[in-house]
Each structure stands twice: as structure tokens, then as C-alpha cells.
């Protein structure tokens, strides 16, 4: 048989997390266990076990109830390979070495068992928005896969005061201080517009990754419309 399919052959890599292409992640489970967004598995080969990851403790269960939105995680283990994707969004890999980052929950695709997580509220938002803005704090050693709706830009927050739409800022370094800024004058120019302009501020040495979009429309999960994609709960 003759075809042009040869360019799509499976990627070979010694790393457990490897990009099959910019929109498809290949994870080899021979040495690791991962947690991934439920529904992100598009194919697998070998002996792979899937189970609901749960919330990982009472404290995070309470935070889930308080924030009103959640991301269901699946635990994947075995001796095979899984292929993960999220609506053909761009996938980016970050390797943490006893380090930490914060991720917008809707942009989190997968992470390995060496990474722990918690739910973190953006500083300065209390009292300005009902419920606040919440993100996922990841820390430890291992791979993290995130998605962006289009090619993002990496901004150095130490060079100048940096601001972004809350749904466009998808991940940032743990060294960065965050806050909330409102500017009525910009309400018609920043974001989708809900009566006032709300921007996240980033300061200090570090970086923030910003996607060229306010995120794709997510299926209704039962709460938190004002905070949109930043409301992040893991577990079920």
C-alpha cells in the first residue's frame, strides 16, 4: 500500500512525556503513574488501568465545594502508552525539579505522580468578586502538560509591571506575586466585558504564559460564571 501516512508514525522518545505532535501528547507509563483530565485520552496501547483519581483529601474536597467548579482527574497506570489531547489545543511540557507553578485549571492536561496539587486563590480578589478566582498550584518533581488555545507568549514579569486577562493567563512561576486590578475606563477594551475590566497583575522575578484567547467555551459545570476558567477544582 502506498500512502502519505508515514509522517504520522508514532514518536519514539526516552522521556515518559513526549509530544507526538503539537496537539497530541504521548505518555509512556512503564515507569510512572499519571493523573490526566478525564476525557483527554484519545488512544492507548498495552496494559493500561484507569481509575477515578478522587479529590485527594478532605481539605481539597472542601475547597471543591467552595469554588463550585471542578475538573475530574483520571489516574492512569500500567505498562502501555496513552495519547492525550484537549480539543486540538496546543500542548506544552514543563519539567519541575522540586519547584512549583500555578496553572489555570482549564489549561491543565496531565501531570505525573511526583507532582502534588492544591487549590489557590488569587491574592487581592477577596471582596471584589463573589467566591474569588481560583487556580491550581502544582509542586514537586516531574512532568506537567498544559494546553493553550493557540500559540502563547512567555512574558518576563521582572522586566515591567505585567497584566493579563484572567482567562488568558494560563500558567506562571511560583515566584511571581499576583493580584487583581480593575479599570472602568478599559471595560470596553479588555476581555469580553461584563461591566468592569478585571485584570490579573503579575510582579517580581519570574514569568507568565499568556494564550491568545480567553479560552474555549467549556461545558457547564454548575457554578462560578464570574471567574470562568480560573475556577479550578480537581477530583470528583
Amino acid at each position: 500500500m502506498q500512502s502519505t501516512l508515514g509522517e504520522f508514525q508514532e514518536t519514539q522518545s526516552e522521556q515518559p512525556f513526549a509530544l507526538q505532535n503539537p496537539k497530541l501528547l504521548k505518555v509512556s507509563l512503564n515507569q510512572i503513574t499519571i493523573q490526566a483530565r478525564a476525557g483527554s485520552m484519545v488512544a492507548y496501547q498495552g496494559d493500561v488501568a484507569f481509575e477515578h483519581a478522587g479529590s485527594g483529601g478532605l481539605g481539597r474536597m472542601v475547597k471543591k465545594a467552595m469554588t463550585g467548579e471542578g475538573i475530574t482527574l483520571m489516574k492512569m497506570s500500567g505498562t502501555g502508552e496513552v495519547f492525550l489531547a484537549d480539543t486540538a489545543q496546543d500542548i506544552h511540557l514543563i519539567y519541575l525539579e522540586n519547584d512549583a507553578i500555578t496553572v489555570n485549571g482549564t489549561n491543565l492536561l496531565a501531570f505525573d505522580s511526583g507532582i502534588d496539587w492544591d487549590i489557590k486563590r488569587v491574592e487581592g480578589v477577596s471582596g471584589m468578586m463573589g467566591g474569588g478566582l481560583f487556580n491550581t498550584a502544582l509542586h514537586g518533581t516531574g512532568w506537567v502538560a498544559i494546553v493553550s488555545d493557540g500559540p502563547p507568549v512567555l512574558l518576563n514579569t521582572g522586566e515591567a509591571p505585567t497584566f493579563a486577562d484572567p482567562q488568558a493567563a494560563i500558567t506562571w512561576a511560583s515566584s511571581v506575586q499576583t493580584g487583581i486590578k480593575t479599570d472602568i475606563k478599559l471595560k470596553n477594551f479588555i476581555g469580553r466585558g461584563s461591566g468592569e475590566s478585571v485584570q490579573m497583575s503579575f510582579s517580581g522575578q519570574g514569568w507568565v504564559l499568556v494564550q491568545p484567547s480567553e479560552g474555549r467555551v467549556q461545558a457547564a459545570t454548575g457554578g462560578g460564571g464570574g471567574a470562568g476558567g480560573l475556577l479550578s477544582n480537581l477530583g470528583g
Side-chain angles (χ1 to χ4, degrees), residues 13 50 90 233:
S13 174
F50 302 89
D90 295 340
N233 256 316

Side-chain angles (χ1 to χ4, degrees), residues 18 25 35 39 41 49 55 69 74 78-79 113 127 133 135 140 150 154 168 170 175 179 182 184 203 218:
L25 172 65
Q35 295 190 62
M41 189 276 292
S55 59
E69 289 194 5
M74 296 298 294
T79 58
S113 57
L133 295 176
N135 298 280
L154 186 68
I170 59 177
S175 58
T182 60
I184 304 300
S203 60
Q218 302 290 323

Side-chain angles (χ1 to χ4, degrees), residues 9-138:
Q9 289 183 3
E10 185 177 343
T11 296
Q12 302 301 318
S13 174
E14 296 181 357
Q15 297 294 336
F17 278 50
L19 291 181
Q20 174 67 30
N21 60 57
K23 301 178 185 297
L24 186 62
L25 172 65
K26 173 187 173 181
V27 181
S28 298
L29 298 174
N30 295 335
Q31 298 179 352
I32 64 170
T33 296
I34 68 167
Q35 295 190 62
R37 175 191 293 272
S40 63
M41 189 276 292
V42 296
Y44 72 92
Q45 291 183 304
D47 184 13
V48 179
F50 302 89
E51 60 180 300
H52 181 59
S55 59
L58 179 60
R60 283 181 283 198
M61 247 170 65
V62 171
K63 291 180 182 180
K64 174 185 176 181
M66 290 176 63
T67 56
E69 289 194 5
I71 296 174
T72 301
L73 290 176
M74 296 298 294
K75 184 181 294 185
M76 304 179 186
S77 60
T79 58
E81 301 165 342
V82 293
F83 293 85
L84 308 175
D86 184 1
T87 59
Q89 294 188 81
D90 295 340
I91 300 174
H92 314 280
L93 300 180
I94 301 172
Y95 186 76
L96 300 181
E97 295 182 273
N98 195 26
D99 202 354
I101 58 174
T102 303
V103 180
N104 184 328
T106 59
N107 296 93
L108 182 60
L109 180 64
F111 54 94
D112 74 28
S113 57
I115 303 293
D116 196 11
W117 63 270
D118 203 351
I119 298 168
K120 181 180 178 181
R121 183 168 60 186
V122 175
E123 296 178 4
V125 75
S126 180
M128 295 172 58
M129 294 180 177
L133 295 176
F134 294 85
N135 298 280
T136 305
L138 301 171

Side-chain angles (χ1 to χ4, degrees), residues 216-232:
R216 303 190 181 185
V217 176
Q218 302 290 323
T221 54
L230 262 89
L231 287 175
S232 162

Side-chain angles (χ1 to χ4, degrees), residues 155 162-169 190 198-202 208-210:
L155 300 178
T162 303
F163 305 89
D165 183 283
Q167 289 140 335
I190 301 284
V198 176
Q199 305 122 50
M200 284 189 67
S201 63
F202 303 87
V208 57
L209 191 67
V210 181

Side-chain angles (χ1 to χ4, degrees), residues 128-232:
M128 295 172 58
M129 294 180 177
L133 295 176
F134 294 85
N135 298 280
T136 305
L138 301 171
H139 58 92
T141 297
W143 288 100
V144 178
I146 62 172
V147 296
S148 68
D149 188 16
V153 59
L154 186 68
L155 300 178
N156 186 335
T157 58
E159 293 182 345
T162 303
F163 305 89
D165 183 283
Q167 289 140 335
I170 59 177
T171 185
W172 52 91
S174 60
S175 58
V176 173
Q177 290 80 53
T178 60
I180 292 294
K181 177 182 178 182
T182 60
D183 193 334
I184 304 300
K185 295 178 182 179
L186 292 179
K187 68 180 180 180
N188 294 324
F189 302 98
I190 301 284
R192 290 176 177 145
S194 60
E196 75 174 349
S197 171
V198 176
Q199 305 122 50
M200 284 189 67
S201 63
F202 303 87
S203 60
Q205 294 300 315
W207 52 267
V208 57
L209 191 67
V210 181
Q211 66 183 2
S213 163
E214 291 175 312
R216 303 190 181 185
V217 176
Q218 302 290 323
T221 54
L230 262 89
L231 287 175
S232 162

